[in-house]
Amino acid sequence: MIRLFNTHQIRKIEELEGMWDFAPAAALGEPPEAFPYKLPVPGCWELHPQFGTYRGTGVYRKRIKLTEKTHLRLVFKGISHTAQVYFDGLLVARHYNAYTAFDAVIPDVDPGEHELLVYSDNAFSEASALHVPNDYYTYGGIIRPVVLEEIGDLYIENVMFTPHREQGSWQGQWKVIIRNIGQVTKKADVQGRLAGSNLPLGSCVVGPGERGELIVTLPYPDVQEWSLEQPNLYELRAVLTVDGSDCDDWIDRIGFREITTCNGKLLLNGRELVLKGVNRHEDHALAGAAFPLQLMAKDLELIVDLGCNAVRTSHYPYDERFLDMCDERGIAVWEENHARGLSPEQMMNPNFAWQSEQVTREMVEQHFNHPSILIWAVLNECASDTKEGRAHYEKQLTLIKELDSSRPRSFASHHRDRELCFDLADIVSFNLYPGWYTDEDPGELADQARAWADALGGRGKPMILSEFGADGFYGFRSPNREKGSEERQADILRSNLEAYIRRDYISGMFIWQFSDCRVTEGLGWLLSRSCTRNSKGLVDEYRRPKLAYETVREVLREN
């Protein structure tokens, strides 16, 4: 399943889910002698017994049959982490980053059988500035769905819809991007269908190899707003007409809501909102990073059962199907680009700037219409305490503002009183671990953090505790409540939550973390975790609840 709803009625699409031929490869683009394996797509190659710890390059092969000549658009929702795509032996696409989508457009494909080769590389090297040995695992393979589309000379490349209220009445700005891959200049007419209205969005002339853009704002006075309590969704459909014929369409779902900040508060539709959530990695013992819908739904049900109203996508953009479920259930989302714990030296990698900009741009443009996404964020625990790091934070936060001025921006900092970038964000956020890494009182530390934020450029801005938590090894029970026991973990989370809930200047709190996750095996205290697991989950890697699960459930449901 690509999304939780049909994304086209006119455009012909096919999901290429199934068993693909597979082989390890010497390098990207190097053909193997044979394809001795079959692996599921989507899926992680680590789930195969021969590739449980494989780090390197693999190649997938799929045969595609066409009955008539057409233009093809192949959409890859996620390949980890570096991809090259070959169609009938020709390189048609390159992409970096596991967690955002990319496409390959192939014009004038003849009928018959064609060979698709998809290379994936999950190795760590200087070529990869963001996927590095880390406190989570970089899986290999085609981890998210692949879609085959048949398109015409002109097609709709994206539709971005921004709702806003004007004098108490809802309006919405449409931004429609049309691409021409043909050889002739053509005029494109677009109709917008939303909330019972069918109105023209305008026309544009698009030359060969060019893109056209339509921007128009229309009134929607009778719609119901989207909120956490009433997550009202509307189907948005743009229809492209060329030479009098409807030739393409684009379907998405949107919600009418506004997220703002004012006087140190986070406001949804003008009402104060306090986020109570979890950090969640897309990692499962039975699926790796390639989540089927059933396991996504299980995770969300557990999160809702806890009494949470929010999820932070640590530390990368999510699969859109999970975001679709958050749209439907009224779960707020903090979505962030891909980077975690990078030092100044790592941020000086010559690939860091463009790889970070690419994932940020793709995250915002691809997930723009999800009403559940209330906060965009960047660069978790990177070098925001240095002059060199600040330049990157400023560039990325500015880029988000240019792409989407309707949502506040943040980043999670662990630098305490050394932070240099709070003035760049709309929300100040701290990763603090009182009771685990330090013996500080959580309430006193939160007060101190508020004072740091006020002194360092964050005065008047909402404050979020973006991480706090403790290890708890599933099944390790102890009346002595030693570190690592389920009892000690539950105690630490209770003390943190109760302290933060009592402080009205805190606009959000995200427990680290929802579930245990696999980490990179390596050296140093961070990468030498027992069993190569980060064990701070409320549930383990199989989603078995720990004692902390019931403790958190009790505290959140009582508050």
Side-chain angles (χ1 to χ4, degrees), residues 79-355:
I79 296 179
S80 184
H81 55 69
T82 297
Q84 286 188 2
V85 180
Y86 291 79
F87 191 83
D88 289 342
L90 297 177
L91 178 64
V92 294
R94 292 187 178 97
H95 186 258
Y96 175 78
N97 208 291
Y99 309 112
T100 47
F102 68 100
D103 67 3
V105 175
I106 310 160
D108 299 319
V109 181
D110 291 323
E113 185 173 273
H114 301 271
E115 181 186 67
L116 174 63
L117 295 181
V118 179
Y119 286 81
S120 172
D121 179 8
N122 72 338
F124 299 136
S125 72
E126 286 298 306
S128 171
L130 306 181
H131 295 267
V132 298
N134 224 318
D135 203 24
Y136 56 95
Y137 196 80
T138 298
Y139 289 91
I142 304 175
I143 65 172
R144 292 179 182 170
V146 180
V147 188
L148 177 68
E149 302 180 349
E150 296 185 25
I151 55 176
D153 287 353
L154 266 65
Y155 71 96
I156 299 173
E157 190 171 60
N158 199 5
V159 177
M160 301 162 73
F161 184 85
T162 306
H164 62 91
R165 279 189 297 195
E166 189 74 31
Q167 297 180 343
S169 183
W170 284 105
Q171 296 183 340
Q173 182 194 79
W174 294 71
K175 180 179 179 180
V176 182
I177 300 172
I178 301 157
R179 184 179 178 188
N180 185 349
I181 61 170
Q183 304 299 316
V184 179
T185 297
K186 292 188 177 182
K187 179 185 176 185
D189 299 294
V190 181
Q191 291 280 124
R193 302 176 184 179
L194 175 62
S197 67
N198 184 8
L199 298 171
L201 302 181
S203 303
C204 62
V205 175
V206 188
E210 296 180 350
R211 288 174 172 85
E213 186 177 286
L214 297 173
I215 298 177
V216 61
T217 297
L218 298 173
Y220 296 97
D222 300 322
V223 296
Q224 295 180 310
E225 69 183 23
W226 186 96
S227 67
L228 304 193
E229 298 76 22
Q230 296 291 330
N232 297 299
L233 293 173
Y234 290 88
E235 182 182 275
L236 168 153
R237 185 175 183 225
V239 178
L240 173 64
T241 303
V242 178
D243 297 330
S245 297
D246 293 345
C247 62
D248 194 27
D249 64 347
W250 182 285
I251 299 173
D252 209 337
R253 296 190 310 192
I254 60 95
F256 288 85
R257 58 97 186 93
E258 283 189 320
I259 180 74
T260 55
T261 63
C262 184
N263 297 324
K265 303 295 183 182
L266 189 64
L267 305 176
L268 178 60
N269 302 325
R271 297 182 291 274
E272 182 180 355
L273 174 64
V274 177
L275 302 176
K276 300 174 183 178
V278 290
N279 291 273
R280 172 183 174 268
H281 270 298
E282 288 192 322
D283 191 1
H284 195 289
L286 298 177
F291 268 66
L293 184 65
Q294 297 92 323
L295 293 183
M296 291 185 199
K298 174 69 171 180
D299 277 7
L300 193 59
E301 291 295 347
L302 291 172
I303 291 168
V304 170
D305 181 65
L306 281 165
C308 294
N309 65 4
V311 175
R312 178 181 172 216
T313 74
S314 48
H315 297 294
Y316 36 76
Y318 266 13
D319 189 308
E320 276 203 276
R321 294 168 294 176
F322 191 90
L323 300 176
D324 286 339
M325 287 191 285
C326 291
D327 294 340
E328 293 179 351
R329 298 292 293 272
I331 300 298
V333 175
W334 156 321
E335 186 164 59
E336 62 190 38
N337 72 356
H338 180 214
R340 184 220 162 270
L342 300 181
S343 67
E345 293 74 22
Q346 289 172 308
M347 296 174 78
M348 289 173 62
N349 182 319
N351 293 307
F352 174 79
W354 76 262
Q355 289 176 353

Side-chain angles (χ1 to χ4, degrees), residues 475-507:
F476 174 33
R477 304 288 180 90
S478 171
N480 299 320
R481 305 179 114 76
E482 290 100 342
K483 261 196 166 185
S485 67
E486 290 192 38
E487 290 86 353
R488 174 66 86 67
Q489 181 192 32
D491 292 345
I492 291 172
L493 285 171
R494 180 184 292 276
S495 66
N496 275 255
L497 284 171
E498 290 179 345
Y500 304 150
I501 287 170
R502 290 196 300 267
R503 284 163 168 77
D504 64 2
Y505 62 79
I506 293 179
S507 294

Side-chain angles (χ1 to χ4, degrees), residues 25 45 54-58 120-123:
W45 62 48
Y54 180 64
R55 193 160 298 284
T57 303
S120 172
D121 179 8
N122 72 338

Side-chain angles (χ1 to χ4, degrees), residues 387-404:
K387 179 181 178 181
E388 296 79 7
R390 178 183 167 88
H392 289 291
Y393 277 80
E394 183 171 16
K395 183 177 181 180
Q396 293 191 33
L397 290 167
T398 299
L399 173 62
I400 290 178
K401 188 69 173 287
E402 292 171 352
L403 294 171
D404 180 15

